[in-house]
Each structure stands twice: as structure tokens, then as C-alpha cells.
Amino acid sequence: MSPSPATLRHMHVRAISYSSIPRFVARAFRVPIAGATIGAGGFGYANYKFEELRKTTNSWITSAQDAAQGLLETASDNLKSASDGIKTISSRIPEVKLPEIHLETPQFLKDLFASTESGEKEKGSGGEEDGPEFNQKNRSPQDDAAIAALVAATMSSPSDSPKATTDTSGQDPRQNGLMHLTRKLIEIRSMLLSIDQSDALKLPSIVVVGSQSSGKSSVLEAIVGHEFLPKGNNMVTRRPIELTLIHTPAENSQIPEEYGEFPGLGLGKITNFADIQRTLTDLNLAVPASEAVSNDPIDLRIYSPNVPDLTLIDLPGYVQISSLDQPETLKEKIAVLCDKYIREPNIILAVCAADVDLANSPALRASRKVDPLGLRTIGVITKMDLVPPEQGAAILAGNRYPLHLGYVGVVAKSSGKGQRDSTALVAQRGESDYFGAYRGVFESSNSLMVGTDTLRRRLMEVLESSMASSLHGITNAVQLELEEATYQFKVQYNDRRITAESYVAETMDALKLRFKDATQQFKRPIIRERLKGMLDDKVMDVLEQLYWLDRRASELGTLGADPRLKPEDIEPYWRHKFDAASSLLTKSGVGRDSTLLVADGLRSLIDSIASGEPFTFHPRASERLIQFSHMILRDRIGLTSDQVENCIKPYKYEVEVEPREWEIGRLRATELFEKEVAMCETKLKEIRNKVGGSRRLGGLVQYVKSLEEKEKERKVKLQDNPQALVHEVEEPDQTPESYRYPPAQIIDARHAMLYTDRLSILKLRLLALKSKRCRAGPESAVFCPEIFLNVVADKLAQTSTMFINIELLEQFFYQFPREIDSRLLYDLDRREIVQFARENPVIRRHLDLQERKDKLEEVMKQLNSLSTLRSDPQPAPRRQRGLFGNIF
């Protein structure tokens, strides 16, 4: 019934605006939109799970198909052998029977066997019943059971059983691959240790810790199979032993030889393990008893076909109380040393004795500090034969002190009697007998691990898993270090590569070039000038000895000024002095002195080269350089001096002087005398300024002359009456001058008097050299001995220079560069060349950075190559048991 008009009039009509339309639509469709969204999300999630299940199923089907295909192909190749094998397996597992209930086979199994059967039919011979068709209708239930057992065994996980299944050759393929991967990781670890000792670039190692009586050495020797660790009553393991075991497989059916190496000692291969033990003992006992332990490790590598690829670090055993001959801080030192090595990422091998409560084990106590959850600790229980088997099994179960990596029980000991080669065999036989006798106790639980072989496998698996888990972080760290090294190498050296050999060659070339440039100092004019300077000094000494100190020296100038006096009419006194002066100059050992002068110059040259860069960084090469250069000079000095003496022998008896030579000699003598006068005046001026002026110097000279007069009077009295001065007491000088002039100034006054006398005679002779008599020519030689001696000195210098250049300089310049090659270049071996180059800090930094960059590149290359050996660097999770474990 419709409302009446009156009712409609009383109704309130609400205005509808355009702004309310969107809100109305949103409220109306809110619930449908939410439902659609939830439905789409659920459908997407279901589709995602379905796709994941489909991928997992496909991967399992592929692996199962490959396994079955391999079995069927093997059976088709040899039907009779396969049938016999199936019967044998069927007889051994009679319990395995296919169920009687007819269940529908899954579709993927139908497709699998259908495709396999069709493929075999195409390969077969047709319709023969005995052919390799293996139709399901022709198989017996026993055959089906055997095939199912083989497929299940093929698809089971290696970790499902503690005993690995081996192939017909006795080798585990998985173990071989594991050893190969571990070997690569150990090589990478060695390279990383050679690059840097920091924790950032370090792969895990197995650190063996335990008390001194826990059996650490026995465990390591059981793993190696030889006695090689130091033994003794006192503490003999004083340094960490970094033991690297390297498996050497047989080649061409020949078992490789077992040997050890100490890379840091350079002893080569050591095949006798007794020698290895002796060397380790000596290296450990080299640590003073006052220190007891040292942080310097011993690097030992053992190559053997009987060892796995492992890196072990044997540390000194924990002690509770130090003995009287040991330092009181020994316990703390060992604890600090062990704490340094058991840090991450290393694996801790805690060795404990079975007859000691694990609560008192220092190894487990130390591992708990750095590994509270026991994620990287393996417990090794030694001396299992000293406790009841049930107690040993309870310890290995790890219920009281659980470890994630578990415990391994060993009986790693022998009687020690008999030959050394049989020690490992005796220990292994005794261990096998013990665990074989109590097999029911130790095999009651599959989780118990016993035996040295099990320990080897366990260590390999744990080390490989730990190394592989560290690869991602190591790869990133190496990549960062490589980028930094590459950048620094580019910035500092502009990617310029050098080698030790190139540096040595460049240094020798620079040495030869520097020597060649320095030989310009020994040109003939320069050598002649040096010899002339030496002979000028000799001339001045001869003149002083024969003329200047003579009281009649002034008479010679007077005689020369007399034009009426002829040279032949001169007094014989002056003729004798003239001949003596010439003889003193020519017979004074000019040959020896001139040769030694040049040889000393060569020595100074070599010493300056050897003391300059880069030989400041190479003291041994510098010493060798000086040594063989002096040897060359010693061999040539005697011969050269004799040759020079023989060549100047004519000048000892007669010297012919030409007018031109006389004039040149006169000019040089004048120049020499003027130079000498200037030097004397300079010295006098210095003394005058030193004592306080000319007046004071004059007073000092007068005082010195008075002292000399008194000394003369005293000597005269002593000569006249020697007995009169016996009891005479010498009274000190009490004159006022004695207080005015100190002794040092009196000495200066005496020197001033000498210079004054020298100046007077030099000026006198300088006037004579400029006189008309000395300008006349060689016939006036007796009046002007200075000119004659200067001419003779010039002739001696010229002759000496000629033969010194031939006999000494040319021979030395020829032989010295060749001695550099033979003694400093070709005589060095590779080790000495590297040592020579690294003595230079600049080259050492260049080589270190270059070597670091190369090693990091090699490490990155090795790390990248591991992707071909192991696609997943993380340890594989434990797979579920059963055929369908991967699906459900």
C-alpha cells in the first residue's frame, strides 16, 4: 500500500550532493573488494606452493630416472651377470618382499619405467624372451626386491650411516672429491698466510689442545702413522707446530714416498721421520728454559699417501703447576698462547683422557670460553681401554657435556717396543682389537664414533665444511684487499712492475754509468795538474831546506844582481847546493808518490760511489765493491811505480832545459812565490787579529825574542861551566810581561816570527825571479834554482802522467766494470738477488705491494675455481631417510 499524500508531506527530504557519491560507492563495494583481494592472494600462494612442489618432484624424478637408467643399462650389457647378482642380493635380503596388495603406482613412476622400457626395447634384439628387455611381467618378486634395494641404496644420503660405502676399488668417490676440495682450500690457506697474518684473511685450521698427559701427541702420530713429535720427560713442546698434511695419490700404480719438509729452514726432503723428530726437538729446546714457551711457530709439512689433507696446529699442553726450573707464569703463558689459536674461525680439537672426568678437562674448559655452544669443537677421548666399555660409550654419547661436532673415541697408543716402523701398525691393530671386542657396546647407537680412521674422516668433513662456510666472507675480504692493493699499486707506482733481477741489473748499470762519468776527473791534463801540484810542494820543501834556512840565502840575490859575475865563476858552495837541490827532487821517490797519489784518488772515487745511494742500503755489496777495487789497485801500484821510476831515471843525472821551457818555468815559479807570499800575509793577518792588533803582536815578538836571548845565554853558560848549573834552581819569570802574555799568545808570536822570516826571504827571491839575471835563460840556473826546479818538476809530472795513464788508469778502467759483472751480478744466486733487492726499503715496499697484489689475484682465481668443485659452498643439510624424503 502506497503512503498517502499527507504522509509524504510530513517526510523530510535530504538533499543529495555530488560529493557524497564516492563515499557511497566505496561503502557499497568495500566488502566485495576485500574478498576478491584475499582470494587472489590465497590463489597466488597456493600456486607458488604447487610450483615449488612440482620443481622438487621433477628434480627427484630426474635423479631417480638417472639411477634406474644406469642400472638397467648395466643389466642390459650383461644379462647373465646381472641375474646372478639379483639372485645373490635376493638371497641375502629375504625379508624384502613386495606387498601383495595391489596399489596403484604413481604416474611419474609409470612414465619413468615406461620410457626406460621403451628405450631398452629399441636397443634390444626383438622378441627374444632372454634378451635384455627386463619387462616387468617377466621379473620375479625377488628380482623386484633386489632392484628396489639397489635404488634405495643409490639414493640414500652419505650421512645416513656412519660407515661410508666404498666402491669396488676400496676408495670412496665422495671422499676423493672431498680431499681434492680440502687440498685446494689448504693451498688457499697457505697463500693467505703468506699474504697477511690478520684474522680477516684466514681460513680455519684444526687446533689441538689438551693437557700434557692427555695423549695429544699419540693422536697426531696415529693420524700421520709415524712417530715424529718430540718426546721427553720435561716440557719439550715449547713452540706451536703448524702441521700441514698433504695427501699424495699413487701414480702409475707406484706408491709415492713419504717425507717431510721444513719450508722455513730449507732442509729439503726428510724421508726419515726420526730425523724430523730430532729436528723438532732441537727447535723446541732452542727456546730458553727461562721462557719455557714461544709464540714463534714451526712450519712442518708431511707428504704421504696415507694421510688426509689437513691443517693441524699442535700447541703446548696445559699445566696445572709449574716445576722449579720453569717460570712461575708458565701456566698463564700457555693459556694465552692457546687462546690466541682457538679463536674463530679455527676448529678446536679438545683431547681428553677417558680416565679423567671431563669436568676437569682444561681443553674443554678453554673451548667453552671461546665456543660456549660447542659449534666448532670436536672432542677426542683417548685411552678408551682404561675405562669400562659402557662408561666409554656414555662419554662418547656426550649427554653431560654435549658438543655439536660430537666426540670420537680412540686408543692411540702402542707399547713402544720393537721397531719404529711398526709402531703405528701396532697401535692401529690394538685399537681395532679393542673396539672389535666390544662392538656390541659401541655400535648399539649409530651416533657413536670410534677409531682413528673415523677421526680422520670426521676431521676432513669438519675442516672442509668449516672452510667452505668461511669462503663467502674470505672471498669478500680478499676482493676488498685486492681492490685496495690494485688502487695503491696504480697510485704509487703507476702499475709499473719490477723484479729483483731487474733492480739488480739497473743498479749495476747505474754504477757503471756513474763510474764512467767520474772517470772524467782522471783525464791526462787533470792528472798532470795534480802531479805538478805535488811536485811544487816538493820544490818548496827542497828550497826551504837548502836555501831559505841558510843564513847566506841573501848572498845569492846579491850575486845574481852582479852583471859581471858569470855562472862558471860562481862560488862552488852555491854550485854544490844547486846540484843537491836537483838530486833531492828527482831522487825523492817521484814514481811511488805520483802513483800513490792517483791510486788514492781512485780509492776516494770508489769510496764515494760505494757510500752513495743506492749502496747506502747495501752495506755488503758496498764492502765487496771497495774490496775488489782495492785489490785491483794493489796489483797495479807496484808495477806502475816501477815503470814511472824507470822513465824518469834520466832526469836524475842531467836535465836539458830549453829557453821556452825556462821562461814558462820562470812565470810559474813567480806565480807560485806570489801565491806563497799571499798565504803568509794572510796567516800574519789572522794572528794579528787574534792577539789584538799590530802593537800587541810587536810586544809579543819582542818578549819572545828576549826569551830566546835568555835561553841562548843560558846555553852559553852551560857550555862554559857545566857544573855551575847543576845546583841552580830555575826561577820562574817574574817580569811584568810574563803576566801580560798568556802561553797561547806566545805560541802565536813564534808562528808570526816564522811567517815574517818566510815573507822576507820570499820577497827577496821574488825580486830575483823578476830580475834581468833570471830572464837571461837556462845558463843562469845556478842563480835561479827556483826556475830550474820548476822546469824539472814539470818534466817529471808530464812523464809520470803518461805512464800512470797507461799502466794504471787504463787497466783499472778496463777491469773494474768487468769485476762488477763477475762479482756483483753473475756471482749472486737467486736468494742473494732477492735479498739484495729487498735491502732497499723503497724497492722492498714496491715488491711487497706487487707480490701482495699478485697473491691476492691468485687467491681470487683459486676461490673462483672452487665453484667448479663445489656449487654450494655451505655444508649440505642432512637428508631425510627413505625414497620420498626429498618430496614430503
Side-chain angles (χ1 to χ4, degrees), residues 21-31 33:
I21 294 176
R23 290 196 301 272
F24 174 77
V25 174
R27 291 176 182 176
F29 291 95
R30 179 173 56 188
V31 175
I33 291 174

Side-chain angles (χ1 to χ4, degrees), residues 376-395:
R376 52 186 183 89
T377 303
I378 304 176
V380 177
I381 308 301
T382 60
K383 306 177 183 179
M384 291 289 294
D385 54 340
L386 299 183
V387 297
E390 293 78 9
Q391 181 180 350
I395 296 174

Side-chain angles (χ1 to χ4, degrees), residues 472-488:
H472 180 69
I474 287 293
T475 303
N476 292 338
V478 170
Q479 183 65 35
L480 292 176
E481 292 290 337
L482 178 58
E483 292 175 358
E484 178 65 20
T486 304
Y487 173 76
Q488 293 295 336

Side-chain angles (χ1 to χ4, degrees), residues 584-597:
L584 280 176
L585 179 61
T586 57
K587 298 180 181 179
S588 61
V590 175
R592 183 185 68 255
D593 293 342
S594 59
T595 304
L596 290 178
L597 177 65

Side-chain angles (χ1 to χ4, degrees), residues 356-649:
V356 178
D357 191 0
L358 295 184
N360 299 325
S361 171
L364 289 178
R365 189 183 306 114
S367 66
R368 284 292 177 91
K369 294 180 181 178
V370 296
D371 185 26
L373 301 179
L375 299 179
R376 52 186 183 89
T377 303
I378 304 176
V380 177
I381 308 301
T382 60
K383 306 177 183 179
M384 291 289 294
D385 54 340
L386 299 183
V387 297
E390 293 78 9
Q391 181 180 350
I395 296 174
L396 297 180
N399 295 327
R400 293 184 59 190
Y401 305 98
L403 296 176
H404 180 73
L405 300 179
Y407 291 86
V408 181
V410 295
V411 186
K413 72 171 186 177
S414 63
S415 61
K417 300 177 181 179
Q419 299 179 356
R420 288 184 179 269
D421 295 340
S422 62
T423 302
L425 298 177
V426 172
Q428 185 178 4
R429 191 180 303 113
E431 184 181 63
S432 301
D433 294 343
Y434 174 77
F435 289 118
Y438 300 101
R439 183 174 302 172
V441 177
F442 294 105
E443 293 186 358
S444 60
S445 175
N446 292 333
S447 61
L448 298 184
M449 296 179 290
V450 295
T452 303
D453 293 337
T454 303
L455 177 61
R456 287 196 188 102
R457 289 194 298 270
R458 187 61 176 165
L459 292 179
M460 288 179 57
E461 293 174 358
V462 171
L463 182 61
E464 186 269 344
S465 177
S466 179
M467 284 185 170
S469 63
S470 304
L471 280 182
H472 180 69
I474 287 293
T475 303
N476 292 338
V478 170
Q479 183 65 35
L480 292 176
E481 292 290 337
L482 178 58
E483 292 175 358
E484 178 65 20
T486 304
Y487 173 76
Q488 293 295 336
F489 194 67
K490 175 68 175 178
V491 171
Q492 296 183 23
Y493 306 109
N494 197 24
D495 290 335
R496 181 175 61 88
R497 301 184 62 85
I498 64 171
T499 61
E501 291 80 2
S502 65
Y503 170 72
V504 173
E506 291 175 1
T507 303
M508 297 302 110
D509 292 342
L511 173 61
K512 295 177 185 177
L513 180 61
R514 186 175 178 183
F515 175 74
K516 181 179 179 181
D517 295 339
T519 56
Q520 302 299 322
Q521 306 173 11
F522 293 87
K523 292 295 184 179
R524 186 174 296 183
I526 299 176
I527 295 298
R528 180 179 177 182
E529 190 66 27
R530 290 183 182 179
L531 294 182
K532 184 61 170 60
M534 180 196 71
L535 292 174
D536 285 341
D537 293 338
K538 285 183 174 292
V539 167
M540 300 299 286
D541 293 338
V542 170
L543 292 174
E544 181 180 11
Q545 181 180 355
L546 295 179
Y547 289 94
W548 299 346
L549 297 179
D550 194 345
R551 296 179 180 179
R552 299 178 59 185
S554 58
E555 297 180 8
L556 185 61
T558 304
L559 295 175
D562 186 2
R564 295 173 299 176
L565 183 64
K566 297 181 180 179
E568 57 270 13
D569 298 334
I570 196 171
E571 186 179 354
Y573 176 81
W574 299 108
R575 176 68 64 180
H576 173 72
K577 278 187 174 294
F578 178 78
D579 295 337
S582 178
S583 178
L584 280 176
L585 179 61
T586 57
K587 298 180 181 179
S588 61
V590 175
R592 183 185 68 255
D593 293 342
S594 59
T595 304
L596 290 178
L597 177 65
V598 178
D600 291 340
L602 291 174
R603 288 194 184 97
S604 300
L605 170 63
I606 300 302
D607 291 344
S608 64
I609 294 176
S611 59
E613 289 188 0
F615 286 96
T616 52
F617 308 116
H618 310 295
R620 290 181 297 176
S622 176
E623 182 180 357
R624 187 181 299 182
L625 179 68
I626 295 174
Q627 182 180 0
F628 70 73
S629 64
H630 289 185
M631 183 191 67
I632 298 173
L633 291 175
R634 282 196 303 269
D635 294 340
R636 303 301 306 177
I637 284 176
L639 179 62
T640 305
S641 61
D642 292 342
Q643 290 289 341
V644 173
E645 288 289 346
N646 292 332
C647 294
I648 65 175
K649 188 178 293 184

